[in-house]
Amino acid sequence: MPDEPSVPPVPPRPAPPPADAGQGAVVAERKVQKTEPPRMYQVVMLNDDYTPMEFVVMVLQEYFQRDIETATQIMLKIHHEGRGVCGVYSKDVAATKVELVLTAAKRSGHPLQCTMEAA
Ligand code: TYC
């Protein structure tokens, strides 16, 4: 008796269906849209020895829409800990707020510094 092949022959694959599924129309595959939420940035204010506390509270009220109590708490936190978060915003808004604060500080002759960092 002749040797049997140990692996049976592989049958040919059926041809893939035509892209138009035989209907004369190409159907786009539905893909789940994944839109990442925009990256957020925190505006951080830094302590210094010269900017008056009242000016910092005014800045927090004016540019970060904080009420006087919250503004005072944030200012004191910065005063004691060296830095504090004024708010969290999209990139453009955070950059604009940093500019506004630095401009206001410079105009008033205070060395107040603030910056933005990825939240
Ligand atoms: N340390 C300042 C003072 O004693 C007050 C101050 C608070 C300054 C917060 C800057 O971001 C600041 N007058």
Side-chain angles (χ1 to χ4, degrees):
M1 189 167 148
D3 278 351
E4 286 280 317
S6 55
V7 181
V10 180
R13 285 176 188 276
D20 65 358
Q23 301 298 304
V26 176
V27 178
E29 267 182 45
R30 191 177 291 273
K31 278 232 178 81
V32 176
Q33 290 283 335
K34 272 201 214 143
T35 307
E36 299 294 333
R39 191 130 201 224
M40 300 300 276
Y41 291 78
Q42 50 190 26
V43 175
V44 176
M45 203 175 278
L46 306 176
N47 188 36
D48 66 72
D49 291 338
Y50 305 103
T51 303
M53 291 182 171
E54 300 73 32
F55 183 81
V56 177
V57 171
M58 180 280 290
V59 162
L60 288 161
Q61 290 180 270
E62 185 84 12
Y63 298 110
F64 299 94
Q65 286 71 49
R66 303 298 184 179
D67 59 44
I68 190 159
E69 290 84 10
T70 309
T72 303
Q73 282 174 12
I74 296 172
M75 182 279 295
L76 286 174
K77 182 183 166 70
I78 302 166
H79 178 71
H80 290 300
E81 298 178 15
R83 51 179 270 150
V85 176
C86 306
V88 180
Y89 308 95
S90 66
K91 193 175 194 177
D92 287 0
V93 173
T96 300
K97 289 192 185 283
V98 168
E99 276 309 309
L100 289 170
V101 171
L102 294 179
T103 301
K106 214 174 274 177
R107 200 177 49 227
S108 303
H110 302 311
L112 182 63
Q113 290 298 308
C114 87
T115 179
M116 61 190 268
E117 50 190 52

